[in-house]
Amino acid sequence: MELNLQVVLFWVVALHCGSVNGSILYRVQEEQPPNTLIGSLAADQGLPDSGHLYKLEVGTPYLRVDGKTGDIFTTEIPIDRETLRDCRSLAKGKPCYLEFEVSVTDLIQNQSPRLIEGRIEVQDINDNTPQFPSSVLTISVPENTIMGALFSIPLATDRDSERNGVADYALTAGPDAATLFGLQVADDRGGKLPQLIVLGNLDRELKDSYDLTIKAVDGGNPQRYSSALLRVVVTDANDNSPKFEKSSYDAELSENSPVGHSVLQVKANDSDMGPNGEIEYTIHQAVDPVPKLLRIDRSTGIIYVKGPLDREEISSLSFYVVARDKGPQPKSSKTFVTIEVTDQNDNAPAVEIRGIGLVTHSEGVANISEDMPVGTAVALVQVSDKDEGENAVVTCVVAGDVPFQLRPASDSPTDNRRKYFLQTTTPLDFERVREYRVEIVAVDSGNPALSSTNSLKVQVTDVNDNSPIFSPTLFEVDFAEENQPGERVLDVTATDADSGTNAQLLYNIVADSTIRGLFEIDPNSGEVRARSPLDREHKELYEFWITAADKGSPSHKGTATVVVKVLDRNDNEPKFMLSGYSFSVLENMPPLSPVGMVTVQDMDKGENARVHLSVEPDGGKFVVQNGTGTILSSISFDREKESSYTFRLKAVDGGEPPKSSYVGVTINVLDENDNDPVITKPSNSSFRRLSPLASPDSHVEVVEAEDLDSGPNAELVFNIAGGNPYQLFRISPTTGEITLAKEMTRKHGGLHRLVVRVSDRGKPPRHATALVHIYVNETISNVSLVEALVGHSLYTPLDRDIAGDPDSGFAAHRSNILFGSLAGVAGVVMLILVVVFIRHRLQRETKSGYQAGKKETKDLYAPKQAPKNAKGKRGRKGKPQKSPKALGENEEVGIQKSLKFNLDGVNDSPRIHLPLTYSPGSPDIGRHYRSNSPLPSIQLQAQSPSASQKHQAVQDLPAANTFVGTGGDDNSTGSDQYSDYSYKTSQPKYNNKQ
């Protein structure tokens, strides 16, 4: 933003009244943003920036003045040079001024205000673009025009001043017209006159028109420009152009001339004959207001008044007149006409009365105190006349016998405007005269003289020199809450030593909006009332001020303090801090443990705020401590039995009558890790067949389990704890899915028993153990064989691996028997007997016995022929017995569903009673079986009754098929209860490691 400020101070000597008058000139560019600083009167006038009041009297709405510093700023309404009233009709080159007046009042010396007059020269900026009168301009050129002939081009206009006005023209022509036409720009009375030059011979029969582009450029920075189409029409020959008798015409025209009054006549001559010599006159490219005020006779060239003329609106009219002949290809010329509008005494003086400094006017009335000193300015009187010369010289006087006079407010008045201070000449006395009507008469010097009057009503006001007084100055009162609206609180009274209106008092409460919303005072009587019910719990003490103001001008006030103490009533019920409470406690907590704490408040006071708590309904499970609000449990919690408790607390205060409230309480029992995982699938006595050709990552089985706990205590982790010496299998720790880890070889065939441990994430963790049997073979041709292997697996300790081909294990087993027998035989004779016995035993094992882990032959455990009266399905139909059908790839078979025994002739067989309790050092599964004595072999019969119907060969594990334990305790305890079993005694297949 560029701000060019130049201050020109013209100081003159001070008048006898002490008023300093001066003229100030500022310069500022138009269209400045709001709050742009134009000048500082305090700094420019050498006045201090404190103790003075600056007030803008003239200059709105374009200006504003800071009241303390006298800084002049622009406002939200921009200063537009082209739209200012005093600048719209300015001749080119003349500056544009915006006048202002500022009054300066000394607040310390209490002197009459001084008036500072000034002008602001509004400098033009390039904010307007040159404009042609039409987008298409047409010029007629005869075809016999000689080279070098000039033809006028219509002018472009620019609303900006000369510097930013039209500065140049440019012509653009096509190839066909560039050699025929050119442009010459001449200076004409400070403006630019574009002319078309004929550069070549024109032939109408060859081409009758040419289109060129004319561009007008202004002188601003950056430049603005506009273009128009210049159409040159080639016409037939017309030898001579009209010529005016004068190159320019000047005339004077009195304002208020009647319509039709002739102003002057322009005259042109044409040497041609006939229509080529007949001339027609027109006003050329005139801008407003010329077309509205003047007209020209087209034949005679006489210019007439067309509209009312007012010199005060426009003082000069300038325009061109064009003379054009009537030939087929008309020729023309132009002349410049200037008409000056002269003044007539048609305006009476105007008398304007307005406030000055601290004296303000309202509806033509000015108020002044009786104690003001002589010479106090009451008003600023401005007398102006729109006429000029002697018609604008005005004489101004105060009519009548009043103690007022006019004093010039400026030593540099203009001819048509003067300013005066209307000031007092004698002391004013309110008791003698309270009101004056001051009439001001203004008369101009015209012939005949015109005059006007204006009047001002001046009211003298009484001096108020006493303030109201309260006695006492402090009022204290007790007032109970829950009062009725409008109930009286107290009365206050003040006195004033003045008389009349200066002694009439008005009472008012001085406080914030909250206090005024609760209390009100009768402005005449001073009675204080409560506007609405008071609430002690909201506020117990109110303190505010009451003023008594007299009706003097200026008003005097007295102040007193009021203190209202609000007394309590039992109007509040106990309130719990929350609308409901929810606490979480661990299960298994001992009785009388704290489970939570509630907070209750009563906003009342004393006994009204004493609160008693109780449990409802009182089921004996919880109690609450008064005073602390602590809730205690009378029971120990078990989340698996009951996970939450809900009851209410009742709070009763000690008021009369008492008030109560309730709140709901929920106790959520948090989980502890007090439940073991329970395996639901697979059954310990079931098995899954797996093809030896299965590829790695093949699905084998899924172990499923559940835990009654919650959260991390119920999050389960699966891992293979044993039975996987070849690392053939792996298990997902999260899903329990067992998959094949690598390809199998021949030695991996047979039964595999995986010991899967399922642990939760509690602290400490709890776990359960499951047995997963996997039979690796292409098919299952003998289900009973596999079930027998699974049955023996259930009696095998968990620390022993059952993992497919048992050949190597069997050799070690035989060596152990041999070495044990040799050690027990004394002598050669016993050695021979033992060898015989061992050979006999080996023959029996080879024939019908079971070797742990060894892949049996096809005939091993072959089912015997069932008797004819057997009750199997196929026996009932009388069909011959078929060999067992092979199972599918992933088919599970339970021992209790498929295992059958031939019990004929086993009455003399020894009965084996399995112990129900074992020492803590026994292995998990070993607790359920005899681990130090040989197992009887089992004679299987294909059609024997189901073991689940009579006796069980191998007791199933608990209902959830789970062995349980806690933490890292390896001494798991099973939940099975075993019954007696009958076996047909045979040579055991497991060596003494079992």
Side-chain angles (χ1 to χ4, degrees):
M1 178 181 66
E2 179 183 355
L3 179 63
N4 183 16
L5 299 178
Q6 180 177 355
V7 180
V8 181
L9 301 178
F10 301 93
W11 291 99
V12 297
V13 295
L15 298 179
H16 67 279
C17 64
S19 175
V20 178
N21 302 287
S23 178
I24 299 178
L25 175 63
Y26 292 112
R27 289 186 176 91
V28 65
Q29 290 184 344
E30 64 174 332
E31 303 289 350
Q32 293 300 310
N35 299 317
T36 298
L37 177 64
I38 297 176
S40 176
L41 294 179
D44 299 338
Q45 296 288 333
L47 299 174
D49 57 359
S50 63
H52 289 72
L53 175 65
Y54 295 86
K55 180 183 177 185
L56 183 68
E57 305 291 348
V58 174
T60 56
Y62 302 105
L63 306 175
R64 71 173 181 85
V65 174
D66 187 289
K68 294 182 180 180
T69 64
D71 292 343
I72 302 177
F73 298 94
T74 59
T75 64
E76 298 293 335
I77 299 177
I79 303 175
D80 186 1
R81 181 182 180 277
E82 288 73 36
T83 60
L84 287 176
R85 177 180 177 183
D86 295 338
C87 302
R88 283 180 296 190
S89 58
L90 283 176
K92 288 187 177 182
K94 291 186 177 182
C96 170
Y97 293 106
L98 175 64
E99 296 184 346
F100 68 89
E101 294 177 6
V102 176
S103 64
V104 183
T105 304
D106 191 334
L107 300 177
I108 300 176
Q109 300 295 332
N110 196 23
Q111 296 177 351
S112 295
R114 284 172 286 183
L115 188 67
I116 299 177
E117 297 177 297
R119 295 187 299 172
I120 298 174
E121 181 182 342
V122 181
Q123 297 178 337
D124 185 52
I125 63 173
N126 191 24
D127 57 343
N128 291 281
T129 302
Q131 297 291 333
F132 285 98
S134 175
S135 60
V136 179
L137 307 176
T138 302
I139 297 179
S140 298
V141 178
E143 62 178 340
N144 62 346
T145 300
I146 63 175
M147 290 186 292
L150 299 177
F151 293 86
S152 297
I153 299 175
L155 301 176
T157 58
D158 194 317
R159 296 180 63 191
D160 292 324
S161 64
E162 290 183 346
R163 182 185 62 175
N164 295 321
V166 178
D168 199 3
Y169 291 88
L171 185 68
T172 303
D176 56 343
T179 57
L180 298 177
F181 302 101
L183 178 67
Q184 174 180 298
V185 180
D187 291 329
D188 183 29
R189 294 179 176 86
K192 298 296 182 179
L193 183 64
Q195 295 176 312
L196 184 69
I197 306 175
V198 177
L199 302 177
N201 296 321
L202 302 178
D203 187 349
R204 180 177 174 276
E205 285 71 20
L206 182 64
K207 189 171 185 178
D208 60 357
S209 67
Y210 298 88
D211 288 341
L212 302 89
T213 301
I214 182 72
K215 180 171 74 171
V217 183
D218 65 18
N221 185 17
Q223 289 183 327
R224 290 173 175 264
Y225 64 90
S226 64
S227 301
L229 176 66
L230 179 61
R231 178 163 293 165
V232 179
V233 178
V234 180
T235 62
D236 287 337
N238 185 8
D239 296 335
N240 297 290
S241 299
K243 293 184 180 180
F244 282 98
E245 295 177 353
K246 296 181 180 181
S247 60
S248 64
Y249 291 82
D250 297 297
E252 290 186 349
L253 176 63
S254 176
E255 66 173 334
N256 301 322
S257 296
V259 175
H261 173 73
S262 62
V263 182
L264 74 136
Q265 182 180 18
V266 295
K267 182 69 174 176
N269 300 308
D270 194 318
S271 302
D272 293 325
M273 302 297 293
N276 293 337
E278 296 179 6
I279 299 175
E280 192 175 59
Y281 301 93
T282 59
I283 295 177
H284 179 63
Q285 294 185 357
V287 297
D288 287 339
V290 173
K292 297 180 181 178
L293 301 177
L294 303 174
R295 69 177 180 86
I296 190 170
D297 187 288
R298 301 176 69 88
S299 301
T300 64
I302 300 176
I303 298 175
Y304 296 95
V305 175
K306 181 180 179 182
L309 287 168
D310 188 356
R311 187 203 62 79
E312 288 74 32
E313 293 294 332
I314 184 166
S315 60
S316 177
L317 299 172
S318 298
F319 53 91
Y320 284 96
V321 172
V322 174
R324 181 178 288 103
D325 62 28
K326 298 182 179 180
Q329 295 81 34
K331 290 189 175 184
S332 64
S333 62
K334 63 181 179 179
T335 187
F336 190 75
V337 179
T338 301
I339 299 176
E340 297 292 336
V341 182
T342 60
D343 183 57
Q344 284 189 344
N345 191 24
D346 58 344
N347 291 283
V351 180
E352 180 184 358
I353 302 175
R354 60 177 184 265
I356 183 69
L358 298 177
V359 180
T360 58
H361 293 189
S362 176
E363 297 180 356
V365 179
N367 294 309
I368 183 171
S369 176
E370 62 177 334
D371 63 346
M372 296 299 291
V374 175
T376 299
V378 179
L380 178 67
V381 179
Q382 177 175 296
V383 180
S384 59
D385 195 314
K386 293 183 179 181
D387 295 321
E388 66 178 0
E390 289 296 322
N391 297 332
V393 178
V394 179
T395 302
C396 186
V397 296
V398 176
D401 185 13
V402 291
F404 299 94
Q405 69 177 7
L406 294 175
R407 178 176 60 83
S410 173
D411 277 354
S412 57
T414 61
D415 291 339
N416 60 349
R417 185 172 62 185
R418 296 175 182 268
K419 294 187 176 86
Y420 304 91
F421 287 125
L422 178 65
Q423 62 184 27
T424 60
T425 58
T426 61
L428 302 179
D429 187 355
F430 171 78
E431 286 70 27
R432 188 173 63 86
V433 180
R434 300 186 179 184
E435 182 177 293
Y436 295 94
R437 173 66 65 175
V438 181
E439 186 174 359
I440 300 173
V441 179
V443 181
D444 64 21
S445 301
N447 188 15
L450 299 177
S451 66
S452 61
T453 61
N454 198 355
S455 63
L456 174 68
K457 182 179 180 181
V458 179
Q459 292 181 343
V460 182
T461 59
D462 186 25
V463 175
N464 183 24
D465 54 356
N466 290 283
S467 300
I469 298 175
F470 284 95
S471 181
T473 58
L474 176 63
F475 296 88
E476 294 181 311
V477 63
D478 292 338
F479 191 69
E481 66 174 337
E482 296 298 322
N483 55 282
Q484 294 297 322
E487 187 174 338
R488 174 184 168 276
V489 180
L490 78 159
D491 293 316
V492 296
T493 305
T495 59
D496 195 312
D498 291 324
S499 62
T501 57
N502 293 333
Q504 295 178 4
L505 304 181
L506 292 176
Y507 296 94
N508 186 34
I509 294 177
V510 179
D512 56 22
S513 59
T514 303
I515 298 294
R516 292 197 301 270
L518 295 175
F519 299 95
E520 63 182 357
I521 189 170
D522 189 297
N524 299 313
S525 67
E527 181 185 53
V528 180
R529 298 182 294 268
R531 301 183 64 177
S532 59
L534 301 183
D535 187 359
R536 187 206 63 80
E537 292 74 29
H538 176 68
K539 193 170 183 179
E540 190 171 0
L541 192 70
Y542 294 92
E543 183 174 349
F544 53 90
W545 292 271
I546 292 180
T547 62
D550 59 31
K551 296 183 180 179
S553 180
S555 177
H556 286 214
K557 296 181 180 179
T559 305
T561 303
V562 176
V563 177
V564 179
K565 183 179 180 181
V566 184
L567 303 180
D568 185 55
R569 290 180 179 173
N570 190 26
D571 57 342
N572 289 280
E573 61 184 21
K575 289 186 178 180
F576 290 91
M577 296 301 292
L578 300 177
S579 59
Y581 290 87
S582 179
F583 303 105
S584 297
V585 297
L586 291 173
E587 61 178 330
N588 303 321
M589 286 177 57
L592 298 182
S593 297
V595 298
M597 179 180 293
V598 298
T599 303
V600 61
Q601 290 183 346
D602 195 310
M603 302 302 294
D604 292 323
K605 192 175 182 180
E607 287 297 322
N608 296 335
R610 195 181 302 276
V611 179
H612 175 77
L613 296 172
S614 60
V615 178
E616 287 191 1
D618 188 3
K621 296 180 180 180
F622 298 94
V623 294
V624 61
Q625 289 180 343
N626 282 287
T628 65
T630 302
I631 303 173
L632 306 176
S633 66
S634 300
I635 60 173
S636 180
F637 301 108
D638 185 353
R639 189 195 66 83
E640 286 70 34
K641 291 183 178 180
E642 192 165 359
S643 61
S644 65
Y645 300 85
T646 303
F647 54 89
R648 293 195 307 172
L649 289 182
K650 179 180 181 182
V652 182
D653 64 22
E656 186 60 39
K659 291 182 177 290
S660 62
S661 62
Y662 295 87
V663 71
V665 179
T666 300
I667 307 296
N668 297 308
V669 182
L670 300 179
D671 183 51
E672 279 193 341
N673 194 21
D674 56 350
N675 287 280
D676 301 308
V678 177
I679 297 174
T680 60
K681 179 185 176 183
S683 170
N684 288 331
S685 59
S686 63
F687 69 91
R688 175 78 67 176
R689 186 187 71 83
L690 179 65
S691 173
L693 301 179
S695 60
D697 296 327
S698 298
H699 172 79
V700 178
E701 181 61 282
V702 177
V703 178
E704 297 178 0
E706 61 184 17
D707 196 314
L708 295 179
D709 294 321
S710 62
N713 297 333
E715 295 180 8
L716 302 181
V717 178
F718 300 84
N719 70 294
I720 298 175
N724 193 23
Y726 303 118
Q727 302 300 315
L728 279 178
F729 305 97
R730 58 171 173 256
I731 188 169
S732 171
T734 56
T735 64
E737 181 185 14
I738 299 175
T739 57
L740 188 62
K742 59 185 179 179
E743 293 183 355
M744 293 182 291
T745 62
R746 180 177 183 84
K747 69 175 182 178
H748 296 150
L751 182 67
H752 294 256
R753 179 187 68 181
L754 300 181
V755 180
V756 177
R757 185 185 182 107
V758 183
S759 304
D760 59 28
R761 296 183 183 272
K763 293 184 178 180
R766 304 179 73 91
H767 71 273
T769 305
L771 300 182
V772 180
H773 293 92
I774 303 166
Y775 184 68
V776 179
N777 199 19
E778 289 79 357
T779 60
I780 300 179
S781 59
N782 193 338
V783 176
S784 300
L785 169 61
V786 180
E787 292 174 344
L789 297 177
V790 173
H792 282 285
S793 169
L794 296 178
Y795 289 93
T796 303
L798 297 183
D799 59 353
R800 185 177 301 277
D801 292 335
I802 299 179
D805 191 351
D807 289 343
S808 59
F810 172 70
H813 166 66
R814 182 170 54 183
S815 300
N816 289 337
I817 296 175
L818 177 60
F819 294 149
S821 300
L822 292 176
V825 176
V828 178
V829 177
M830 294 300 297
L831 178 60
I832 297 174
L833 293 176
V834 171
V835 172
V836 173
F837 174 75
I838 291 174
R839 184 182 299 274
H840 176 70
R841 182 177 179 180
L842 292 176
Q843 291 176 355
R844 292 186 61 184
E845 287 178 348
T846 305
K847 185 176 182 179
S848 61
Y850 166 71
Q851 296 180 3
K854 184 177 180 181
K855 192 171 183 182
E856 301 292 343
T857 62
K858 184 176 180 181
D859 295 332
L860 187 61
Y861 294 101
K864 296 181 180 181
Q865 185 67 32
K868 294 182 180 181
N869 57 354
K871 295 182 179 181
K873 293 182 180 180
R874 304 186 188 278
R876 285 197 300 267
K877 293 180 180 180
K879 294 182 180 181
Q881 180 62 33
K882 295 182 181 180
S883 61
K885 185 179 180 180
L887 298 179
E889 177 71 17
N890 295 316
E891 183 180 357
E892 283 193 6
V893 182
I895 291 180
Q896 297 184 16
K897 296 180 180 180
S898 305
L899 191 59
K900 301 181 183 299
F901 303 93
N902 182 7
L903 302 179
D904 295 338
V906 298
N907 294 332
D908 297 333
S909 302
R911 296 183 62 85
I912 299 176
H913 301 274
L914 298 178
L916 301 179
T917 59
Y918 301 92
S919 62
S922 302
D924 291 347
I925 303 302
R927 297 183 185 183
H928 303 282
Y929 316 110
R930 294 185 179 276
S931 60
N932 294 322
S933 18
L935 295 177
S937 63
I938 303 172
Q939 184 65 43
L940 302 178
Q941 299 294 332
Q943 300 297 331
S944 60
S946 173
S948 61
Q949 297 175 359
K950 293 184 178 182
H951 300 282
Q952 293 180 334
V954 179
Q955 172 65 31
D956 280 344
L957 293 175
N961 306 306
T962 307
F963 299 95
V964 299
T966 60
D969 184 12
D970 293 331
N971 300 322
S972 302
T973 303
S975 58
D976 291 341
Q977 298 298 324
Y978 286 86
S979 59
D980 294 340
Y981 304 95
S982 297
Y983 301 95
K984 186 174 182 179
T985 304
S986 63
Q987 187 69 24
K989 296 305 294 177
Y990 288 87
N991 58 20
N992 55 9
K993 286 187 179 181
Q994 296 176 293

